[in-house]
Amino acid sequence: MNTVRKLMPLCSKQVFSGKRFNSNDLTNDENKILYEKLLNKNYNSEKHTEASSFAKWVTPHYKFGPSRVMNYDWSIKSMLSWYKRKRVEFHKYNQRYISERVKSLGSDIAISHFVVYRGGAIRFQGQDNFIRWTNKKEEYYVDLPQNYDPNYFVEAIDVSDLMLYYQGLENFKNLFKLKWLSLRNNPVLDNWCLDYIGHAIPNLEYLDISNCPQVTAAGIAGLQKLTQLKILVINSSDVEIQMACFALEDIIPGLFVVIQENKDTNYKQMAKM
């Protein structure tokens, strides 16, 4: 009787309640399970018992599928590549546009905290000096408004040497007084970012995109939307980029493009981070 008890863990009815065992008390499915167990044929315990989620992940196809763990490349190179991808995903998520922050602080004060907290600097309209977070060893505290104030307008932003992704640039919209922007030494700034700047910051007058290796001539052409642009700073020995800059000067009246020498900076090391 104990042997039969062990063979029947899945019966929905209480078969062994002190009464004599009768197969007629079982359903067809329960009889089939009992028959397969007794004959030890075609019985798959995974089919009738719920395996843990980890077991399903390790052996997704149960009998025939190879272990999923064995399918992964556990080499050092593969693990480093995975770590870099996850780090980029984290930075993009961390720089995302948060509508609740903008609703509570306003676009100008929200972007000021966004930039200063990440190591950049901002200058409000009517002020002479940039505001930075100088001592990062201490708790974050800067002389910035903590609540919405309609009298504060961001006029200049310096995010040089920062890895600012496209998701981070989405925080720059609705800055109608922003006229000065430096994106120098940004290894991830690309043509899509310049296209977004072209329609998100229409009143921009100064733009520095020097030492941004992913910018091409197509990105320079996308800046033609900045009709108020006066100075564009770039350094590149690429002929197509230089020709695009000359064409941009013809499109935007009063624009002066400063093409600096292509100096070897540390942006290659930043790109490997």
Side-chain angles (χ1 to χ4, degrees), residues 139-154:
E139 187 178 357
Y140 173 71
Y141 176 78
V142 288
D143 188 15
L144 291 174
Q146 302 298 322
N147 299 306
Y148 172 72
D149 192 334
N151 298 321
Y152 282 87
F153 297 99
V154 175

Side-chain angles (χ1 to χ4, degrees), residues 56-117:
K56 290 182 178 180
W57 180 80
V58 174
T59 57
H61 303 294
Y62 302 112
K63 279 189 175 181
F64 306 103
S67 175
R68 186 172 294 178
V69 175
M70 301 303 296
N71 290 336
Y72 279 95
D73 184 6
W74 295 101
S75 62
I76 300 298
K77 181 179 179 180
S78 177
M79 294 176 67
L80 288 176
S81 178
W82 173 86
Y83 173 76
K84 290 180 180 179
R85 291 196 306 269
K86 291 300 179 181
R87 188 174 182 179
V88 170
E89 292 177 4
F90 168 76
H91 284 302
K92 290 181 178 180
Y93 179 79
N94 188 36
Q95 296 178 9
R96 72 193 187 281
Y97 177 82
I98 302 177
S99 58
E100 291 78 8
R101 176 173 56 194
V102 177
K103 290 179 181 179
S104 61
L105 298 176
S107 299
D108 292 88
I109 299 179
I111 191 61
S112 63
H113 284 281
F114 175 86
V115 171
V116 174
Y117 180 78

Side-chain angles (χ1 to χ4, degrees), residues 226-242:
L226 299 175
T227 57
Q228 304 297 324
L229 192 62
K230 303 300 180 184
I231 298 177
L232 174 64
V233 181
I234 189 172
N235 65 328
S236 177
S237 58
D238 187 89
V239 178
E240 293 184 357
I241 293 181
Q242 294 181 1

Side-chain angles (χ1 to χ4, degrees), residues 116-182:
V116 174
Y117 180 78
R118 287 163 176 79
I122 62 101
R123 188 182 72 231
F124 288 112
Q125 190 178 35
Q127 297 182 357
D128 298 329
N129 300 324
F130 280 86
I131 299 177
R132 298 179 182 271
W133 182 18
T134 54
N135 191 358
K136 293 187 178 181
K137 295 183 179 180
E138 298 180 358
E139 187 178 357
Y140 173 71
Y141 176 78
V142 288
D143 188 15
L144 291 174
Q146 302 298 322
N147 299 306
Y148 172 72
D149 192 334
N151 298 321
Y152 282 87
F153 297 99
V154 175
E155 188 178 41
I157 296 179
D158 184 6
V159 286
S160 302
D161 304 316
L162 297 181
M163 296 182 64
L164 198 64
Y165 291 88
Y166 184 92
Q167 288 77 2
L169 289 176
E170 292 181 344
N171 295 275
F172 285 65
K173 58 185 177 182
N174 299 326
L175 301 177
F176 302 106
K177 300 295 183 178
L178 181 60
K179 297 181 179 180
W180 194 96
L181 177 61
S182 177

